[in-house]
Structure formats: C-alpha cells, structure tokens
Amino acid sequence: MVPRRDGGAEALLDDLARRRADDQWDVAICLTDLPLHAERAPLVAQTSGQRHIGVISLPALGLRQMHSVRAAVPDLVGRLLADASDHRIPPAERAPAETKRRVPAVHRVIGGADSGERRYLASGLIGRVRLLTGMVRANRPGRALLGLSKLLVGAFGTAAFALTTDTIWQMGDALGGLRLTVIMVLGLTALVAWLIVAHDLWEKPSRETPVELARLFNLGTVLTLTLATTVSYVVLFVGTVLVGALLIDTSVLEQVLQRPVNAGDYLALAWITSSLATVGGAIGSGLENEQTVRAAAYGYHPQPGGWRDEKVGERSHTGR
C-alpha cells in the first residue's frame, strides 16, 4: 500500500504503523522514492517514537542514496528502540547529532524526545538540488535511453537517408559552429517537448498533487529526458561520423564542396545530420508504447502497487 500524494510523510507513517502492528514488528523503517517536504525544505527522514516507525525519502539523499541509507538506518532504529525501552536520554540525544554527521543531506533536526517525533530536514538551496538529482537518479536515465528504442531507430534511419543527399553536405559546409549549435539545441528541445506532449508526461496540479510536488515531478521529468536524449544524440553523432566516413569517399565530397576536405568536414556533416535526425527520432518516439515511455521517464511517480520486503523494513513500490 502506498499513501496518497497529498498525505506526504504522515500518510506514509500511518500506513507503516498499521503494517507494523499487523505484522507485530518491533520497529519499521520505510524507504520511499516519493519526494517529501516539511518546513518549506526537503524532508530527508521522519520518525515517530510513539509508534516505533520511521520513513526515509531516497531522493532527498541525492546520488549516494544507499551509502546514506546504510548510515541513517542504524541511527534511526537505535533511536526508536531507545524510545521503545524508555531509556531515551543517552542514545536519543546523540542520535540526531550522529545522523547529521554521518548523513550529509541532513541539515537540521526539529522535534524532540518529549513528543517522540523528529523530522530530519535538508537545507533550502543545496537540499533542493540534491532532491532533484535524487529524483533523476530514481528515474534511471539509462533505462529511459534503452526504453526509447524506436526513437533511436527513427533517428538513425533519418540520418542514414540524410547522408545520401549532397544538399546536407553543402549545408554542413555553409553553417558555422554557432548556427550548428543552435540547431542542435533546438532539435533536442523539440524532441524533449514532443516526448512530454505526445505521451502526456506533464504533471498537472490537482487535489492529490500539490503545486510544489507537481513542479518537482515536471522538473525531474524534463531533466531525465534531457539527459537521456543528450546521450542518445552523442551515440547518434558517433554513429553518423562512422557511417559518413565509410560511405562518403573524400573525392566525392571534395567534388561537391569544390575544395579539399579534412576530418572537420566529416564532423560538421555528422553534426548537422544528427541535429536534423532528432526530428525523425521525435516521430519515432510517437510510435512507442505509452506504457514503455512512462516506465522510462516516470520511475519516481508512486502509484498503488503494494509493498515488498527489505532487510531494513519496507520500501514502497513505485512506477506510474
């Protein structure tokens, strides 16, 4: 079971408390890919001493998530066990300081032993940057790249066709580096926008999705797709350079351009060809299965799907 988005950490803790009581666990820790907020700052973790449960938001830990989890979980479990045994003063007062020292993502701790509730918060600016990188990591851009196979096929097909036309050769020779860069950026931007629009990846604020959370989801989606399409562009560029060098003889290219050519001319040709081929890639992406694209770009979006056991407790199942 996964909480509603509008419930945030509290809904997670309520669900986890019921699961802990049903299974008669002493302590339960939930790891979730859902980005959480408290006090207008990213929430790294929250514990409830009275219910002997805690939740850790993996995106708030940034890129080195499992390293930070291994450092944070023993401290949180130790605190919860100390609260359960009512021997709070020695371990409970040290736990927040130890967690802050061992987990760089934690900037400050609010709450106290009297209430049995603690929130571990990240800093404002650095915490948000770490949160975004953690969301992109949860999306696994490599999976997005592999999942959009028809996009790459369409782009390579367009590039192969473009290499056979001498008009493209002349365009590559006439355009300077600045204009080639602008064409490349426009092509990648159009591809990302097409992926989002064609497959309805833009999250709209609603009763279940607050504006701030929707903004985070959208920014994470844009960053994930931008990274994936940039890597695909590099792969396409390298492949186009190799194919161009094999198919286009130097003497033929010199005859069209009416001057001696060098390696830079082949690179410029591959550059303009790859940029134009991204349009073909966008058309190819429209042929992708809806679920394939969503699975590739929406890895961090939580949806009902159950729980699965982990050694440290339970981790929420994710996937749109």
Side-chain angles (χ1 to χ4, degrees):
M1 51 187 170
V2 175
R4 301 182 308 274
R5 290 184 185 178
D6 58 341
E10 293 300 331
L12 267 174
L13 291 173
D14 290 340
D15 290 337
L16 186 61
R18 288 192 293 269
R19 182 64 187 272
R20 187 196 69 82
D22 292 341
D23 292 343
Q24 297 182 347
W25 294 336
D26 294 328
V27 171
I29 300 292
C30 169
L31 307 181
T32 179
D33 288 335
L34 180 67
L36 303 173
H37 279 80
E39 303 287 327
R40 304 189 69 177
L43 178 66
V44 179
Q46 183 170 338
T47 59
S48 175
Q50 296 177 350
R51 293 179 289 179
H52 317 313
I53 55 176
V55 60
I56 298 177
S57 175
L58 293 179
L61 298 175
L63 296 177
R64 303 184 63 189
Q65 294 178 359
M66 296 315 298
H67 173 79
S68 298
V69 164
R70 294 188 185 98
V73 168
D75 290 336
L76 297 182
V77 171
R79 166 163 180 75
L80 293 173
L81 290 175
D83 288 343
S85 62
D86 205 30
H87 297 298
R88 296 183 179 181
I89 296 179
E93 294 304 318
R94 289 198 302 264
E98 285 295 308
T99 303
K100 289 175 64 176
R101 182 178 64 83
R102 297 176 63 184
V103 184
V106 178
H107 179 67
R108 59 191 175 99
V109 183
I110 60 176
D114 294 338
S115 62
E117 305 282 337
R118 271 198 172 90
R119 293 180 176 181
Y120 298 79
L121 304 180
S123 64
L125 178 59
I126 298 178
R128 285 183 173 83
V129 172
R130 185 182 283 112
L131 178 62
L132 281 174
T133 58
M135 292 173 66
V136 173
R137 181 187 184 278
N139 275 350
R140 290 181 290 180
R143 179 184 62 182
L145 178 63
L146 295 176
L148 301 176
S149 57
K150 292 179 182 178
L151 184 154
L152 288 175
V153 171
F156 272 114
T158 304
F161 177 78
L163 284 175
T164 62
T165 61
D166 56 4
T167 303
I168 297 296
W169 305 355
Q170 295 171 346
M171 288 178 58
D173 181 51
L175 298 176
L178 177 60
R179 285 193 287 181
L180 287 174
T181 301
V182 172
I183 294 173
M184 177 186 67
V185 173
L186 290 177
L188 290 175
T189 302
L191 177 55
V192 172
W194 172 256
L195 285 170
I196 293 175
V197 172
H199 300 285
D200 193 23
L201 300 182
W202 194 258
E203 188 75 30
K204 300 177 181 63
S206 64
R207 183 176 58 84
E208 295 184 353
T209 307
V211 175
E212 187 172 4
L213 187 57
R215 187 182 298 116
L216 281 173
F217 283 157
N218 290 331
L219 187 54
T221 298
V222 170
L223 291 177
T224 301
L225 291 177
T226 299
L227 183 59
T229 53
T230 299
V231 173
S232 68
Y233 184 90
V234 172
V235 173
L236 176 63
F237 175 80
V238 173
T240 304
V241 169
L242 296 177
V243 173
L246 290 174
L247 293 181
I248 305 174
D249 188 80
T250 303
S251 60
V252 177
L253 187 59
E254 288 179 345
Q255 183 178 0
V256 173
L257 300 182
Q258 299 181 353
R259 63 172 179 79
V261 299
N262 51 38
D265 295 300
Y266 282 94
L267 293 178
L269 175 60
W271 195 354
I272 182 62
T273 302
S274 300
S275 298
L276 295 178
T278 56
V279 178
I283 297 174
S285 70
L287 303 176
E288 292 282 5
N289 180 271
E290 186 82 6
Q291 295 301 321
T292 300
V293 177
R294 287 184 176 274
Y298 260 27
Y300 60 80
H301 281 237
Q303 293 293 333
W307 299 71
R308 60 187 177 89
D309 295 333
E310 297 284 351
K311 292 182 180 179
V312 295
E314 297 291 321
R315 175 171 179 162
S316 61
H317 176 72
T318 59
R320 187 172 177 118

